Amino acid sequence: EVAMHIEASQTTANVLDITADSVTTANVIDVSADALTQGSAIKINDNSSNNSARDLVLIHQQHADATSATALKVISAGAATGMLLDKDFSDTNASTITGFQVDLDKTGTSTTSNTIFGVTIDVDNTTATNGTNTMTGIQVTPTLTHAADAGTPTVKGAVITATGAGNGSSVATGMELTATGADTNKGLTINCADGGQDLLIVSSADVADYFAIEVTANGATTLKTYEDGAGHGADLTMDIDGAIKIDGDGVEIENDSSSGATALLIDNDDTDEIAL
């Protein structure tokens, strides 16, 4: 039987109001459910069809001086999944849907040093003694397909935009990768479907101008520069502080039929050294 049942008919007043402004080290609400099997310690159900904006759960830690407080803390000791967000959305109209959103704003005209993290993920496994252990810090698997042969499905695995400012000696880095400590360290692995551009670097002046690296079967690799226009300004310049070594099965220079340039030009600026 239900131990306590509250049935309320009011529309604008709180159904349950707890004021415990004098509590310091105790819990205002303490729930213990050590015999749970498939039930829930707390369940909140909202089946309202009203389309107005509302919060099903609102946690508001509002005092700006309480910098050491944590608004929401989840401790999971035995569960294989610490937190699960299962988001479902069904609509036939144009919509913008977000599964998880973090909005962090640091305010105040501070003159001291600050370190700000939007999201921090710390994954550790240091006690395994054998077996094949695989760890992934972040994994995203976005899938976008159209149910009909129409429209333009465009999917991006990750979009990172780092915006700096001109004040001070500013530095903006889109992505920094560090791989260390293993017998074999790989900074970046790209597995792109055959025929695609494995690495594409576009010009900030014109995104239609680009440099690309393409890898096909047998490891055949093409370095490609492209200018979106009638000219041939997409030069490939190698500024090398040291020697150039080519280890392979010969060298072939193939001059494009419309290049209008010499196939091979050796320009030696060292007057007392042999050019070729």
Side-chain angles (χ1 to χ4, degrees):
E1 295 294 336
V2 177
M4 182 175 66
H5 178 76
I6 300 176
E7 184 173 346
S9 299
Q10 65 263 43
T11 58
T12 59
N14 298 331
V15 175
L16 181 62
D17 200 329
I18 299 175
T19 301
D21 294 338
S22 299
V23 175
T24 56
T25 59
N27 300 318
V28 176
I29 298 178
D30 196 324
V31 179
S32 178
D34 293 340
L36 274 178
T37 56
Q38 296 181 358
S40 302
I42 297 177
K43 178 182 179 180
I44 301 175
N45 185 37
D46 177 5
N47 196 29
S48 172
S49 60
N50 189 283
N51 198 31
S52 60
R54 62 180 179 273
D55 300 314
L56 190 56
V57 176
L58 174 62
I59 299 174
H60 190 182
Q61 190 279 313
Q62 59 184 359
H63 205 294
D65 293 337
T67 56
S68 297
T70 301
L72 176 63
K73 183 177 182 179
V74 178
I75 300 177
S76 176
T81 302
M83 181 180 295
L84 171 65
L85 172 62
D86 186 355
K87 175 75 178 80
D88 298 314
F89 185 87
S90 177
D91 198 352
T92 58
N93 299 319
S95 305
T96 300
I97 304 105
T98 302
F100 182 72
Q101 178 176 335
V102 176
D103 183 3
L104 189 154
D105 299 299
K106 190 273 178 190
T107 60
T109 56
S110 61
T111 57
T112 57
S113 300
N114 293 272
T115 301
I116 302 173
F117 296 98
V119 176
T120 299
I121 298 176
D122 184 8
V123 184
D124 299 299
N125 180 5
T126 59
T127 57
T129 59
N130 204 340
T132 301
N133 296 275
T134 302
M135 177 180 291
T136 302
I138 298 177
Q139 176 175 302
V140 293
T141 58
T143 302
L144 173 61
T145 58
H146 282 189
D149 189 10
T152 305
T154 302
V155 59
K156 299 180 180 180
V159 176
I160 300 175
T161 302
T163 303
N167 294 333
S169 300
S170 60
V171 177
T173 302
M175 178 182 291
E176 180 177 333
L177 304 175
T178 301
T180 183
D183 292 331
T184 301
N185 299 292
K186 300 179 181 180
L188 177 64
T189 300
I190 301 176
N191 187 347
C192 183
D194 216 17
Q197 294 171 322
D198 299 75
L199 178 63
L200 177 66
I201 304 175
V202 300
S203 169
S204 59
D206 185 354
V207 295
D209 300 335
Y210 64 83
F211 164 73
I213 299 178
E214 302 171 1
V215 181
T216 58
N218 303 319
T221 304
T222 300
L223 305 181
K224 180 179 180 181
T225 63
Y226 177 77
E227 177 189 358
D228 183 34
H232 295 277
D235 298 332
L236 178 62
T237 301
M238 293 183 290
D239 188 358
I240 300 171
D241 186 9
I244 300 176
K245 179 180 180 181
I246 300 176
D247 185 0
D249 297 331
V251 177
E252 177 184 352
I253 299 176
E254 182 175 332
N255 195 16
D256 191 77
S257 61
S258 60
S259 68
T262 304
L264 176 61
L265 172 65
I266 299 177
D267 185 0
N268 185 17
D269 290 332
D270 195 337
T271 58
D272 59 349
E273 291 295 335
I274 299 174
L276 177 61

